[in-house]
Amino acid sequence: MSDFLERIKDLSPKRLALLANELQSQLDAVEQARTEAIAIVGMGCRFPGEVSDPEAYWQLLSSGHNPITQVPPERWDVDAYYDPDPSTLGKTYTRWGGFITGVDQFDPDFFGISPREALHMDPQQRLLLEVSWEALERSGHAPKSLVGSRTGVYVAIGTNDYANLQTRANDLSGVDAYTGSGNGFCFAAGRISYALGLQGPNMALDAACASSLMAVHLACQSLRARECELALVGGVNLLLSPETNVAFSRTRVMAADGRCKTFDAAADGYVRAEGCAAVVLKRLSNAVADRDPIVAVIRGSAMNHGGASGGLTIPNGAAQQTAIREALAQARVQPHQIQYVETQGTGTPLGDAIEVRALGSVFKQERSPQQPLWLASVKTNIGHTETASGLASLIKVALALQHQQLPPHLHLQQVNPEISLADIPAKIPTTLVAWPQGQPRQLAGVNAFGMSGTNAHVLVEAAPTLDAIEQFFERPLHLLPLSAKTPAALQQMVQRYATYLATHADLDLGDVCFTASLGRSHFNHRLTFVGDTTAHLQSQLAG
């Protein structure tokens, strides 16, 4: 510092002013980079209720449909492990769960994997590959175009049921070179980068229920630090064996009736569920410059641990408040500007009350009864997808912002007496309602905390309105190129496009064809369709 003062002591006032302005500009640039907003430019998901994409997910959420079922026989014999008495050892007192269909189906050749290796791969790895590919294509980034790119991969994964099934047979002769890479958590992330040729940061994360929201936070940090130019965040959870259900029955965290009754006086735990989701993230400035399809914007995020609290698995409300305030500070927004919070909301009486009190302590500041905070939990809709639950919540919020509606929060009859909504003030949407109005910006929080003590919070804003790209000339015809690795897959793609165009007749045909041409990887089996209108093209596809 003394050397610096010595060098500037003889400068004129004008030169000092110029130097001060230059230094301030540099500081502003550093601060801007540290807090730059992150765009969500692509999403993919699989959830209970035959949900295979974001459109189906929104349909399920907005309709208030409950996809929870009894444990299907292809998972395990529910009768052999069920006992309604919670104290019975070796048994589980619930018969319910949220399940994805077809998790045993996989096309290994598409990803260059041999059938023998695929047999030893945890289906969670298979799902992550498929959903990651879908999310990238939805973002307009053809996966093959990313080979060698600085694209980061952050995967939340925490269950190893498939490994349990393989070792349960107690036959070591079945162990081969693919057993380790098929089940290790690090390979779930590493395999994505390997299959797509990505050379950015790569990691697998397990912080229980906070895992995938923590992965989002770390991916945003890496983007701001320029460690990567694009980030793929995935989370997965499959229920393939009964051991975890038996363990959770000992801790009494599951609802016997298979209903997650978040915030309700009758709340008695959650129902376990399967899920796989992925989001593609990019610095907002780059996404705008590249004309990417921005779904929503992450303005701020934070994470911490509860430290010493009432117990290892008991949430720490004070630590949750700290994480939320740090996210608000990074986003540079005030608590009263947040209109909605997608809560952790697992449906345990203690956890729900602690979370709402923590949220209230932060968000009630300067909040008027005319602008209440809306609260809900997607776990009442699809169950608790555990390590994938943060992404299930984030994608729900992004879709709600897109559709300008809040989906119904299910199974609420009477609010838990330990929860005071009037104190915040807050409301819970039990039917499909319009996104709250009255604020110049549309902002939401996504809250998560894990059973092991980790807290995470992400602040999301509606996507900016971008100016339309100037059309220099109007094409009389448009070309839609479709391709796949097999004839059957190509026919399925044609049918999906036909269905999509039939339900989205207002789409710009030029945009659809442009994305199909440059935003997807192309394969050997190909079809091309030519049309002058969306309806014309759809009729060809359907025919």
Side-chain angles (χ1 to χ4, degrees):
M1 177 60 75
S2 60
D3 291 341
F4 174 74
L5 294 174
E6 184 68 25
R7 288 199 301 271
I8 68 171
K9 69 178 183 178
D10 295 327
L11 294 179
S12 66
K14 184 177 181 180
R15 291 293 302 276
L16 284 172
L18 290 172
L19 178 61
N21 289 335
E22 182 182 346
L23 290 174
Q24 186 60 54
S25 296
Q26 292 176 2
L27 287 173
D28 291 344
V30 170
E31 180 62 18
Q32 170 65 23
R34 189 183 70 84
T35 61
E36 183 172 0
I38 303 299
I40 303 173
V41 297
M43 305 188 300
C45 62
R46 307 281 179 84
F47 291 120
E50 304 293 333
V51 169
S52 59
D53 54 43
E55 289 78 16
Y57 189 33
W58 177 251
Q59 179 59 37
L60 182 142
L61 294 175
S62 60
S63 68
H65 176 64
N66 179 11
I68 303 303
T69 64
Q70 291 201 42
V71 179
E74 58 267 25
R75 293 300 193 277
W76 62 83
D77 182 356
V78 67
D79 292 325
Y81 290 94
Y82 174 74
D83 192 304
D85 182 358
S87 63
T88 304
L89 298 178
K91 302 289 184 177
T92 176
Y93 59 81
T94 179
R95 307 172 63 91
W96 305 92
F99 296 93
I100 299 174
T101 58
V103 297
D104 59 332
Q105 299 172 15
F106 181 61
D107 181 5
D109 183 61
F110 184 88
F111 295 101
I113 298 169
S114 71
R116 180 184 172 190
E117 183 174 6
L119 183 65
H120 288 273
M121 282 175 58
D122 187 336
Q124 294 182 129
Q125 292 192 24
R126 307 175 201 165
L127 272 174
L128 284 166
L129 284 171
E130 294 172 347
V131 176
S132 296
W133 184 282
E134 292 163 8
L136 286 169
E137 284 199 330
R138 283 175 167 270
S139 74
H141 292 80
K144 284 190 173 182
S145 71
L146 297 175
V147 174
S149 68
R150 294 175 63 200
T151 298
V153 175
Y154 304 79
V155 168
I157 182 171
T159 56
N160 53 6
D161 287 1
Y162 197 64
N164 289 340
L165 290 173
Q166 293 181 72
T167 58
R168 189 185 295 171
N170 199 27
D171 181 10
L172 294 181
S173 64
V175 175
D176 71 4
Y178 298 121
T179 300
S181 60
N183 292 280
F185 289 165
C186 62
F187 293 102
R191 193 183 295 277
I192 295 173
S193 293
Y194 173 78
L196 303 181
L198 313 178
Q199 296 185 342
N202 182 287
M203 63 184 71
L205 307 159
D206 180 9
C209 320
S211 299
S212 56
L213 212 59
M214 180 178 74
V216 170
H217 169 72
L218 294 176
C220 291
Q221 298 289 67
S222 286
L223 284 165
R224 294 188 182 106
R226 301 312 199 256
E227 292 178 338
C228 56
E229 299 303 316
L230 195 71
L232 178 67
V233 182
V236 67
N237 192 60
L238 288 183
L239 317 179
L240 304 178
S241 65
E243 284 85 354
T244 303
N245 272 34
V246 172
F248 284 175
S249 291
R250 304 283 70 74
T251 56
R252 311 287 179 90
V253 298
M254 294 190 296
D257 62 358
R259 299 293 181 267
C260 184
K261 300 175 282 292
T262 305
F263 308 142
D264 195 86
D268 56 354
Y270 65 82
V271 56
R272 299 187 70 211
E274 298 181 332
C276 183
V279 294
V280 182
L281 306 180
K282 195 172 187 178
R283 290 185 293 274
L284 179 60
S285 57
N286 296 118
V288 170
D290 295 340
R291 313 296 303 191
D292 288 325
I294 301 173
V295 180
V297 176
I298 296 172
R299 286 290 174 184
S301 63
M303 58 173 284
N304 64 18
H305 192 277
S309 60
L312 175 62
T313 60
I314 297 176
N316 185 328
Q320 287 185 42
Q321 292 180 46
T322 299
I324 296 168
R325 289 193 173 98
E326 288 176 355
L328 286 166
Q330 185 183 81
R332 297 178 181 177
V333 298
Q334 298 302 312
H336 70 271
Q337 294 179 277
I338 305 300
Q339 297 140 329
Y340 171 76
V341 173
E342 174 65 24
T343 67
Q344 173 74 3
T346 51
T348 59
L350 179 62
D352 287 355
I354 290 174
E355 181 177 19
V356 173
R357 283 196 291 269
L359 294 171
S361 295
V362 177
F363 291 112
K364 69 181 181 181
Q365 299 174 33
E366 301 181 28
R367 185 173 298 276
S368 70
Q370 290 73 38
Q371 297 289 331
L373 178 68
W374 289 81
L375 303 173
S377 172
V378 75
K379 295 170 184 62
T380 66
N381 305 89
I382 61 171
H384 189 0
T385 53
E386 298 171 341
T387 44
S389 62
L391 283 177
S393 296
L394 180 62
I395 293 176
K396 172 190 170 181
V397 169
L399 291 170
L401 285 165
Q402 277 192 319
H403 291 271
Q404 290 293 287
Q405 292 176 309
L406 296 176
H409 174 100
L410 307 183
H411 315 311
L412 182 66
Q413 301 296 324
Q414 181 180 350
V415 176
N416 182 340
E418 297 299 317
I419 294 174
S420 175
L421 297 178
D423 181 57
I424 297 175
K427 286 186 176 182
I428 299 171
T430 54
T431 60
L432 185 66
V433 301
W435 187 275
Q437 302 300 311
Q439 293 276 10
R441 300 170 65 183
Q442 295 181 319
L443 293 157
V446 183
N447 199 49
F449 51 86
M451 189 176 287
S452 60
T454 299
N455 303 301
H457 197 85
V458 172
L459 292 173
V460 186
E461 185 172 12
T465 301
L466 302 180
D467 295 333
I469 299 176
E470 182 179 355
Q471 298 292 335
F472 293 99
F473 60 91
E474 184 64 32
R475 293 182 177 87
L477 295 171
H478 293 277
L479 192 72
L480 178 68
L482 302 179
S483 68
K485 286 197 171 184
T486 67
L490 180 58
Q491 188 57 42
Q492 290 176 1
M493 178 171 289
V494 170
Q495 293 172 357
R496 287 199 300 271
Y497 265 87
T499 301
Y500 188 77
L501 292 180
T503 56
H504 296 78
D506 58 339
L507 286 173
D508 184 287
L509 185 57
D511 289 345
V512 173
C513 293
F514 178 86
T515 301
S517 176
L518 298 180
R520 301 182 67 97
S521 296
H522 294 285
F523 306 105
N524 291 336
H525 296 273
R526 306 185 178 198
L527 279 174
T528 299
F529 298 86
V530 179
D532 57 351
T533 66
T534 301
H536 180 205
L537 201 60
Q538 194 277 334
S539 66
Q540 293 185 60
L541 291 162

